[in-house]
Every structure is written in structure tokens, then in C-alpha cells.
């Protein structure tokens, strides 16, 4: 392709992009393909001869586009926004055309200096302390563009590790240890809500990481950090790095920097990093700056313009208060990279892991100039307002609940019910390809994340998404699978409750100390109940004329002492007003008794305060199962019996 053909194809590509973005709403949000779909569609080897551009573009539409998840789609509500705008696209086009590799000032002075300037621009707009700005008088700080927030956290952790090891080497207690042994003493900290990259960065850095529990609003608190640090220092560990988050991935919560910061300052050498990959961009709005309260305690801060500032990936901005601590940990200076201005100019190769660097500041410069701060503020406010609109829709529907504090463009919600129900709901919605969302676990519950992501999101998009969600929930609740699931849940709950009560029955009989008090029932007329021998093994005394109260397990009473006994027994349950009349049966034996009778107690056994029959635990359990299967009892009566703890019988000789 020569320049003349490029002129033609370039115009065609711009037209294709415009057509694609104008009609993206007509496409399916997520692809309807499986793993490996593309392999059979393409040759096994690269072509030996040039192919026509028309054929290449046909394959883009027929083979590539069917496998694309459309992050710029108005129905895409997963993860966080993937920044995009026309000025950013044009900036990347020009950067690719320039094609410089800006690892040092000498490699391309404009590439380095524009990066420094736009980072200062952005830092001022956010409201960062002046210590983070490069061009502030006597400042040792500055900003740099990294590939991702993961890289930002990693380079800061490496810098903190280098500072901690140098400090330990100066201590007389550790001079005899090499760096490998010292690494084993270092301890980093983060919240359970921190991004997974913190854990991966600790693995790369060969340091220990303690993951702390946030509060009920997913916020890491200062007291939690303090207790962890004190416990670790008592064990001989050296705290050196704390990673906090403003705008967590799961639910967009904000760690309490005003509490955490002073604690970090009490311990020499702790590096406090603030990861605000998503939310940090919103701090350009004056009304949202309160969310970064306590930022003055931080040693480093990062945010991704490629998330929430209309700039294409990759463009993650990192600021540090002391750039020399960062560069001293990463500097490698071979002769072929040295230049005459190294002492006065910034070389960003010392600020990051990779040596080679693209001209990423160009697209951010384009975006900031073309939109202006006011235009970027309007974009952020629109997302926040639409999130509030979606929150209001959720709160109006009694079938759903909100699971986070909705501050920016993320709403966490769930259908009231089990995690399994919400998993099924999200899976059904995503399989439809109409909208796309992802889950998160908030306060140990499965929730669905609704993120405003499209650059030009509107109220109409929110209303359509909510309509789709509610329609699928209605279908799901009517489906047999969900009804069966709900029935299973009720049955499991009933069985668990029954097992607990059965266990209490057994303990109640074997341990009279926990028997509840007695409740009297009206005197029963009719045949007398000979019970004295059964209760105490003392024998019958028919002339006592006294009233006695006893507590027996239900199963014992369900079986008559004699297969021919036709006595009726009136029972009254504690806390219930229902009278239940049981009829003894001579229908033969039941499990645990060969003659249909309750097991006879030993004549020599001592009574339990003269109240409880001398029955073994195993026989009680067997007879209680018989009671549960009593065919002559109504279902409601059985449930009432299950809920009772004891039966009280009034008898008169």
C-alpha cells in the first residue's frame, strides 16, 4: 500500500468507523460464538502473496465482528467504561503515524515533555496537592502515563520495597541479613475490596500481603489497619506498603483515607498508595472532590483516563510525591541509552517497567483541549445522573434491592431471593445478548453490577435496560425451575429446623435442668392414666388423690403401653392454644418397639427429678420419626407438634 492508496483506504476506514459507531446499537452486545470459533474460518498459515484490501475488509465484517463484545454499545453495562471519543481516536492515529518510541527525552523530546505537561494539567484539575505536580516550585513529584492501574501499583510497590530494604540494612538488627531474608519480613496491606492486581503485584514483588476486611459498606477503616499493623510488628514483620482504593471495582466504595493516613504516618517508611482507577477522573467535578478527603497523606495516586475520561486504552496516569524514590528503584542505565541531558530532563524509562513507550499523551492532550474541563465534567455528571435514575427504578420495584451507595456511575442490585436466583437471572440476560452486565460479591452476597459505560448514554438506554431486566425476572419467577428451587429452599429450611428441635427434645429428656416450665390443662374426665411406675419405677399409688405434672417427649406418648389400650389422651402444647386429641392404636408394632408400646423403663433406674421417663436417646429418635409419619394427624397439627418443645399432661387418680 503506497501513500495514494492509503489516502483512499484511510478515508474508507474513517467512513467504516463512522458507520460502525452510528449503528452499533443494532448489533448484538455480546457475541454468540464459542471458544475456538475463529480458527476454522482462517487459514492455518499467513498468505505468501499480497491480498486485496477489499478482501481483508470483507473478512473483518464476516469473521471478526461476529466475535466482538461491543464495549461502546449503549446496552453494555459491564465492568467500567472503556473510554472512547473521536479526538482520542484521532490522537492515536497521529501517534501511530509519528511512530516514536519515547523511552527518554533524547528519543523524542516532545513525547516526554507533553506527557509531563498534561499530567500536571490533569493533576490540577483533579485537585491533587501541589507536591504531586512536577512544575510546582521545589517539588520532587510529578506524573507519568502507565499502561494500566496494575502497572501503577506495581512500580509503587517496588519503590516502597526498595526504600524499606535500604532502611533495614541501615539497622544494626538486620545488617547480617541479605536481601532475600529481608524480603520475608516485609508486609503489605490492602482491603478485600481492592483490585486483584494488588495481590498479583505482591506475588511479583515477593512480599507478603495481608488482606483486610472492610466494614459493612465495603470501606477499609483506620482501626482495622492499625490492629493489623500492631499484630504484625509484634510478630517481627515490617509494614512497608498500604494500597487503598477510591472507587472499588465491586461496588465503588471509598476507603477512609482520613483514618488510614495518620496511622501510616505513625510508622516510618510506610508508603501509602491510592488507587482511583475509575473514580479519580470524577474528581474534576467540584461537587465530587469530597470523595478524595485525606489525599494529602498519600505518597502516590493513580487514575485511568481510559475508564472515565473519554480517552482510549491505554492511558493510566500516576503521580508520586517523590519521583526520586520511584526512579532509584527502577533505574538501569546502559551506555546506549545515556544522553547529554540526562541530569536536567526526565527519562520516563526509569518510571515504569517497559523501556519502550508510545506517544500516549497526544490523545489525552487532544481530548482535554477538544472537550475542555467543562465538557468532561458534563460527561461525568451525565453518567452520575443516569445511575441515580436506574437506582430509583430499582427502589420502586419491591422485587429488587440496592446493594451499594450509588455515588458515581455504578449501581449494584439484586433480585430479592437466593444467590442462585440472581445467578440464573444474570446468565439469562447475558445469554440474550440484549444487554451485558457482570456480577460482584458485596457483603458476601451475589450482586449484579449495572455500570454506565457508553460515551453518549441516555435516559432511554437506562429505561430499556431496566425493561429487559424486569421482563426476564418475571419470566424466571414463573418458570418451573425457580418454583422448584423455592420449594427446595423451604424444604431444606423445614428439615433443618426439625432436626434442631428433635435434638432439643432428646436433650430436654436427658437433662431435666433445661426442661421448660409447665402449663396446666383442664382436668380430663374419663379413664385414669396409670403413670407412676412409668415415671419413677416406684409402683402405682391409686389412693394418693394428688395432681402431678410431667414432661414427656411426644414420641413416647404416641405409642400406647398396651396394644389393646383404647384410652384417649388430651394434650396441650406450650405457646399454642390448640388442643390435640391422640388415639392410641393397636395396629401392631412400629420401629423401635415390637409390641406397639413405648419402651418400658428399668425398675431400678432413678427418676430425673420424678419427671422424665427413663428412655434412651436412640429410642427417642426412632419414635420421633414414627411421630412425624403419623397418618392420622392433619398436616397442620403435625407442624404444631414439631414446633412444641414438650407436652404437659394432667392426670388424676
Amino acid at each position: 500500500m503506497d501513500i495514494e492508496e492509503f489516502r483512499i483506504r484511510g478515508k474508507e476506514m474513517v467512513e467504516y468507523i463512522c458507520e460502525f459507531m452510528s449503528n452499533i446499537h443494532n448489533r448484538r452486545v455480546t457475541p454468540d460464538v464459542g471458544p475456538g470459533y475463529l480458527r476454522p474460518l482462517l487459514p492455518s498459515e499467513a498468505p505468501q502473496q499480497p491480498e486485496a484490501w477489499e478482501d481483508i475488509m470483507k473478512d473483518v465484517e464476516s469473521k471478526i465482528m461476529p466475535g466482538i463484545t461491543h464495549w461502546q454499545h449503549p446496552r453494555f453495562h459491564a465492568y467500567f467504561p472503556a473510554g472512547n471519543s473521536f479526538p482520542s481516536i484521532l490522537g492515536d492515529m497521529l501517534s501511530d503515524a509519528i511512530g516514536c518510541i519515547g523511552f527518554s527525552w533524547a528519543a523524542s523530546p516532545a513525547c516526554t515533555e507533553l506527557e509531563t505537561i498534561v499530567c500536571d494539567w490533569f493533576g490540577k484539575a483533579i485537585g491533587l496537592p501541589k507536591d504531586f505536580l512536577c512544575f510546582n516550585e521545589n517539588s520532587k513529584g510529578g506524573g507519568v502515563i502507565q499502561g494500566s492501574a496494575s502497572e501503577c501499583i506495581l512500580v509503587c510497590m517496588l519503590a516502597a520495597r526498595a526504600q524499606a530494604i535500604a532502611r533495614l540494612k541501615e539497622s544494626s538488627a538486620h545488617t547480617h541479613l541479605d536481601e532475600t531474608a529481608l524480603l520475608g519480613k516485609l508486609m503489605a496491606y490492602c482491603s478485600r475490596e481492592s483490585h486483584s492486581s494488588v495481590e498479583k503485584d505482591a506475588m511479583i514483588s515477593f512480599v507478603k500481603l495481608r488482606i483486610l476486611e472492610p466494614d459493612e459498606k465495603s470501606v477499609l477503616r483506620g482501626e482495622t489497619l492499625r490492629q493489623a499493623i500492631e499484630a504484625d510488628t509484634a510478630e517481627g514483620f515490617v509494614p512497608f506498603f498500604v494500597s487503598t482504593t477510591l472507587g472499588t471495582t465491586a461496588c465503588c466504595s471509598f476507603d477512609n483515607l482520613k483514618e488510614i493516613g495518620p496511622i501510616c504516618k505513625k510508622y516510618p517508611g510506610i508508603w501509602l498508595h491510592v488507587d482511583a482507577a475509575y473514580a479519580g477522573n470524577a474528581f474534576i467535578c467540584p461537587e465530587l472532590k469530597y470523595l478524595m478527603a485525606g489525599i494529602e497523606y498519600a505518597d502516590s495516586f493513580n487514575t485511568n483516563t481510559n475508564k472515565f475520561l473519554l480517552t482510549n486504552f491505554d492511558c493510566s496516569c500516576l503521580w508520586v510525591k517523590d519521583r526520586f524514590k520511584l526512579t532509584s528503584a527502577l533505574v538501569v542505565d546502559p551506555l546506549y541509552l545515556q544522553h547529554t541531558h540526562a541530569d536536567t530532563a526526565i527519562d520516563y524509562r526509569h518510571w515504569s517497567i517497559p523501556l519502550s513507550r508510545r506517544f500516549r499523551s497526544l490523545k489525552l492532550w487532544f481530548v482535554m483541549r477538544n472537550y475542555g474541563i467543562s465538557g468532561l465534567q458534563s460527561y461525568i455528571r451525565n453518567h452520575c445522573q443516569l445511575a441515580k435514575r436506574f437506582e430509583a427504578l430499582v427502589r420502586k420495584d419491591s422485587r429488587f434491592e440496592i446493594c451499594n451507595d450509588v455515588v458515581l456511575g455504578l449501581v449494584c442490585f439484586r433480585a430479592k431471593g437466593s444467590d442462585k436466583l440472581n445467578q440464573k437471572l444474570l446468565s439469562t440476560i447475558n445469554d440474550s445478548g440484549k444487554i451485558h452486565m457482570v456480577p460482584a460479591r458485596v457483603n458476601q452476597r451475589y450482586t449484579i453490577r449495572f455500570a454506565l459505560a457508553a460515551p453518549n448514554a441516555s435516559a432511554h438506554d437506562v429505561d430499556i435496560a431496566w425493561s429487559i431486566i424486569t421482563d426476564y425476572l418475571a419470566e424466571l419467577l414463573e418458570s418451573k425451575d425457580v418454583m422448584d428451587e423455592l420449594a427446595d429452599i423451604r424444604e431444606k429450611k423445614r428439615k433443618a429446623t426439625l432436626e434442631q428441635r428433635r435434638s432439643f427434645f432428646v436433650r430436654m429428656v436427658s437433662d431435666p435442668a433445661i426442661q421448660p416450665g409447665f402449663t396446666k390443662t383442664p382436668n380430663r374426665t374419663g379413664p385414669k392414666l396409670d403413670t407412676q411406675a412409668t415415671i419413677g419405677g416406684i409402683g402405682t399409688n391409686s389412693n394418693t388423690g394428688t395432681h402431678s405434672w410431667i414432661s414427656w417427649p411426644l414420641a413416647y406418648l404416641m405409642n400406647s403401653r398396651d396394644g389393646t389400650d383404647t384410652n384417649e389422651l388430651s394434650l396441650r402444647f406450650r405457646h399454642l392454644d390448640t388442643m390435640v386429641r391422640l388415639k392410641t392404636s393397636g395396629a401392631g408394632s412400629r420401629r423401635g418397639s415390637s409390641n406397639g408400646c413405648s419402651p418400658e423403663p428399668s425398675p431400678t433406674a432413678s427418676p430425673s427429678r420424678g419427671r422424665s421417663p427413663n428412655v434412651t436417646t436412640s429410642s427417642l429418635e426412632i419414635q420421633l420419626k414414627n411421630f412425624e409419619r403419623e397418618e392420622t394427624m392433619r398436616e397442620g397439627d403435625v407442624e404444631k407438634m414439631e414446633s412444641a418443645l414438650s407436652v404437659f399432661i394432667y392426670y388424676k387418680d
Side-chain angles (χ1 to χ4, degrees), residues 35-64:
Y37 91 96
L38 189 57
R39 178 66 187 87
L41 302 180
L42 297 179
S44 58
E45 295 180 356
Q48 292 292 330
Q49 301 299 323
E51 295 185 356
W53 185 256
E54 291 83 356
D55 294 339
I56 297 173
M57 288 305 297
K58 286 179 182 178
D59 284 349
V60 167
E61 190 60 39
S62 64
K63 297 180 174 61
I64 303 302

Side-chain angles (χ1 to χ4, degrees), residues 234-283:
E235 294 291 328
F237 292 108
V238 179
F240 81 104
F241 185 81
V242 175
S243 181
T244 58
T245 310
L246 298 181
T248 58
T249 302
C251 62
C252 200
S253 59
F254 294 77
D255 291 340
N256 196 319
L257 296 183
K258 295 183 72 174
E259 293 179 359
I260 294 171
I263 291 172
C264 292
K265 296 304 178 185
K266 290 181 180 179
Y267 294 87
I270 291 185
W271 183 301
L272 176 59
H273 178 73
V274 177
D275 174 21
Y278 167 65
N281 301 278
F283 301 156

Side-chain angles (χ1 to χ4, degrees), residues 108 124 157 237 264 269 289 301 317 333 400 417 492 510 579 610-611 651:
S108 189
K124 289 178 181 179
M157 187 179 289
F237 292 108
C264 292
K289 291 186 187 295
F301 174 90
C317 296
D333 198 25
F400 293 90
K492 288 179 181 178
S510 62
M579 293 294 297
R611 293 178 180 175
Y651 65 92

Side-chain angles (χ1 to χ4, degrees), residues 385-404:
Q385 292 167 3
L386 293 177
K388 284 295 184 181
R389 182 185 184 91
F390 185 84
E391 178 190 17
L393 292 172
V394 176
R395 292 191 184 279
K396 288 179 181 178
D397 194 322
S398 60
R399 298 172 298 174
F400 293 90
E401 58 183 324
I402 294 291
C403 303
N404 72 323

Side-chain angles (χ1 to χ4, degrees), residues 281-354:
N281 301 278
F283 301 156
I284 66 173
C285 298
E287 68 272 20
L288 297 174
K289 291 186 187 295
Y290 76 95
L291 295 170
M292 59 189 297
I295 191 63
E296 64 274 10
Y297 295 106
D299 294 288
S300 53
F301 174 90
N302 75 270
T303 189
N304 293 4
T305 61
N306 55 260
K307 271 192 170 70
F308 205 20
L309 209 71
L310 297 173
T311 307
N312 295 73
F313 183 83
D314 56 342
C315 193
S316 183
C317 296
L318 167 69
W319 292 266
V320 293
K321 277 185 176 177
D322 190 339
R323 60 180 179 268
F324 301 106
K325 289 182 179 180
L326 179 64
T327 56
S328 63
L330 300 173
V331 63
V332 177
D333 198 25
L335 180 60
Y336 54 81
L337 296 178
Q338 297 175 10
H339 58 91
T340 56
H341 298 285
D343 294 335
T344 57
I346 288 178
D347 283 351
Y348 278 123
R349 62 190 172 94
H350 300 315
W351 293 53
S352 57
I353 301 298

Side-chain angles (χ1 to χ4, degrees), residues 21 52 61 70 80 123 216 257 315 317 406-407 410 428 456 473 485 507 510 552 578 580 597 611 620:
M21 298 185 74
E61 190 60 39
H70 296 289
F80 281 126
E216 68 281 357
L257 296 183
C315 193
C317 296
V406 180
V407 180
L410 176 67
T428 303
N456 298 312
L473 179 64
E485 177 193 343
R507 290 187 292 111
S510 62
W552 286 352
T578 303
V580 180
C597 302
R611 293 178 180 175
L620 282 174

Side-chain angles (χ1 to χ4, degrees), residues 415-477:
K416 292 179 180 178
S418 66
D419 284 356
K420 186 176 180 182
L421 172 64
N422 283 274
Q423 290 171 0
K424 181 68 174 176
L425 174 62
L426 181 58
S427 175
T428 303
I429 292 172
N430 286 342
D431 288 346
S432 74
K434 295 179 180 179
I435 62 174
H436 185 48
M437 300 178 292
V438 295
R441 192 159 292 278
V442 179
N443 288 330
Q444 306 304 318
R445 297 195 304 167
Y446 185 97
T447 62
I448 302 173
R449 297 171 74 260
F450 181 88
L452 274 300
N456 298 312
S458 66
H460 178 65
D461 298 327
V462 171
D463 294 343
I464 289 178
W466 181 242
S467 175
I468 293 171
I469 293 168
T470 54
D471 286 349
Y472 276 106
L473 179 64
E475 291 181 10
L476 204 57
L477 293 177

